[in-house]
């Protein structure tokens, strides 16, 4: 089943644009298997008829390109062109980022086929994801607080809960607390002095930089929808939330 036709949106692979004036690739079709058209394939694990867990499977997608002229019609290509495109798509042996329009995928191109007619034609490549979802663009939220007790709202527009990376810079000595009341009231608390910077990686809970931090893992989570965060500080701080919403749909 085709879920996509005629996309002239940006296509980038490993940071390189494939829709620029040099390569002029045009996505004419993206296909998935009928059984996985929503972009989700799950396995439910049971033991003695009791639910244990659910696992989301990785997916593959087939993407068909043509080389387009400036009117979006199929243009001629030579062998050198296909050799160069193949070298770009298949040069990596570790996952990279594929961006098509507003969606981001992590994975590798694993195979492909070519159909050529009178120096024109199309080629189809299979992309193997190493993540069970697609992602949206990175979202950043910056905030400056000075000896305050107030609330901010962060919206996770994805279809799943996700964990944010949080970077905090101390402008004036003090304590900062970030409490997510949309997620059971868990709190991230830091004690810092002027010019210290600390970063907490949401997915791994790794702490980088200076300062003293205390938190529960759930304090870094942004639930699907609007999250209401209480900000309490006794000093002056600048902090930033970074996260990527997850999307199962292609």
């Amino acid at each position: 089943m085709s879920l996509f036709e005629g996309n002239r949106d940006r296509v980038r692979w490993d940071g390189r644009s494939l829709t620029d004036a040099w390569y002029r690739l045009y996505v004419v079709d993206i296909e998935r298997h009928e059984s996985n058209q929503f972009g989700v394939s799950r396995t439910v694990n049971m033991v003695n008829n009791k639910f244990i867990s659910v696992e989301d499977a990785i997916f593959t997608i087939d993407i068909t390109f043509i080389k387009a002229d400036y009117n979006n019609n199929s243009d001629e290509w030579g062998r050198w062109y296909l050799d160069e495109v193949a070298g770009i798509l298949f040069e990596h042996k570790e996952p990279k980022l594929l961006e098509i329009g507003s969606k981001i995928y992590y994975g590798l191109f694993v195979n492909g086929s070519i159909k050529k007619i009178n120096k024109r034609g199309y080629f189809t490549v299979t992309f193997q994801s190493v993540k069970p979802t697609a992602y949206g663009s990175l979202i950043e939220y910056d905030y400056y607080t000075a000896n305050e007790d107030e609330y901010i709202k962060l919206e996770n527009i994805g279809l799943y809960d996700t964990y944010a990376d949080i970077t905090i810079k101390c402008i004036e000595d003090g304590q900062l607390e970030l409490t997510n009341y949309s997620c059971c009231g868990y709190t991230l608390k830091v004690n810092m002095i002027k010019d210290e910077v600390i970063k907490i990686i949401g997915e791994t809970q790794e702490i980088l930089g200076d300062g003293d931090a205390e938190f529960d893992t759930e304090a870094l989570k942004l639930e699907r929808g609007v999250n209401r965060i209480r900000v309490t500080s006794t000093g002056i701080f600048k902090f930033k939330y970074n996260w990527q919403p997850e999307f199962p749909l292609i």
Side-chain angles (χ1 to χ4, degrees), residues 121-136:
Y122 59 88
F123 61 92
T124 300
V125 286
T126 299
F127 181 82
Q128 173 72 67
S129 173
V130 298
K131 299 281 188 176
T133 58
Y135 291 81

Side-chain angles (χ1 to χ4, degrees), residues 179-186 218 223:
T179 304
N180 191 341
Y181 280 97
S182 301
C183 184
C184 306
Y186 288 108
E218 298 301 296
E223 293 189 337

Side-chain angles (χ1 to χ4, degrees), residues 186-205:
Y186 288 108
T187 298
L188 163 65
K189 180 189 300 183
V190 297
N191 290 284
M192 301 173 69
I193 62 176
K194 182 178 179 180
D195 294 330
E196 285 188 332
V197 178
I198 191 170
K199 181 175 183 178
I200 299 110
I201 308 299
E203 191 167 330
T204 63
Q205 293 89 59

Side-chain angles (χ1 to χ4, degrees), residues 108-178:
L108 292 158
F109 289 102
V110 294
N111 57 50
S113 61
I114 300 169
K115 180 69 174 180
K116 190 172 183 181
I117 305 171
N118 296 328
K119 298 183 180 180
R120 291 178 171 85
Y122 59 88
F123 61 92
T124 300
V125 286
T126 299
F127 181 82
Q128 173 72 67
S129 173
V130 298
K131 299 281 188 176
T133 58
Y135 291 81
S137 299
L138 182 68
I139 297 175
E140 294 186 355
Y141 180 90
D142 292 282
Y143 196 80
Y144 181 92
T145 183
N147 300 304
E148 296 170 342
D149 187 349
E150 54 197 320
Y151 290 87
I152 60 175
K153 292 182 179 180
L154 305 180
E155 185 177 9
N156 173 16
I157 61 174
L159 297 184
Y160 299 109
D161 298 342
T162 191
Y163 289 92
D165 298 341
I166 304 174
T167 303
I168 302 168
K169 180 176 182 179
C170 183
I171 309 300
E172 184 178 288
D173 299 6
Q175 183 181 90
L176 172 69
E177 293 187 7
L178 301 173

Side-chain angles (χ1 to χ4, degrees), residues 2-145:
S2 173
L3 298 180
F4 193 104
E5 292 183 358
N7 184 5
R8 281 298 289 169
D9 287 339
R10 177 187 64 187
V11 177
R12 296 177 64 86
W13 169 238
D14 189 31
R16 183 180 307 186
S17 174
L18 301 180
T19 48
D20 63 14
W22 177 253
Y23 297 108
R24 302 207 312 273
L25 288 180
Y26 184 109
V27 177
V28 294
D29 202 25
I30 293 182
E31 293 193 0
R32 307 193 59 129
H33 296 296
E34 289 280 352
S35 61
N36 191 21
Q37 60 184 281
F38 276 102
V40 173
S41 178
R42 287 178 165 176
T43 300
V44 176
N45 299 317
M46 307 285 290
V47 175
N48 296 327
N49 293 323
K50 292 184 179 180
F51 173 79
I52 301 299
S53 64
V54 62
E55 295 180 11
D56 289 347
I58 57 177
F59 58 86
T60 61
I61 52 177
D62 293 329
I63 308 171
T64 299
F65 292 98
I66 63 169
K67 180 185 178 186
D69 62 19
Y70 292 102
N71 294 315
N72 294 340
N73 297 315
S74 180
D75 199 4
E76 293 186 4
W77 64 39
R79 186 72 215 183
W80 65 270
Y81 177 81
L82 286 179
D83 286 344
E84 186 163 354
V85 169
I88 293 169
L89 297 179
F90 294 99
E91 66 178 322
H92 301 299
K93 293 188 177 181
E94 65 280 339
K96 299 294 180 181
L97 271 63
L98 172 67
E99 302 174 57
I100 302 179
S102 61
K103 296 290 181 64
I104 300 172
Y105 310 95
Y106 295 89
L108 292 158
F109 289 102
V110 294
N111 57 50
S113 61
I114 300 169
K115 180 69 174 180
K116 190 172 183 181
I117 305 171
N118 296 328
K119 298 183 180 180
R120 291 178 171 85
Y122 59 88
F123 61 92
T124 300
V125 286
T126 299
F127 181 82
Q128 173 72 67
S129 173
V130 298
K131 299 281 188 176
T133 58
Y135 291 81
S137 299
L138 182 68
I139 297 175
E140 294 186 355
Y141 180 90
D142 292 282
Y143 196 80
Y144 181 92
T145 183

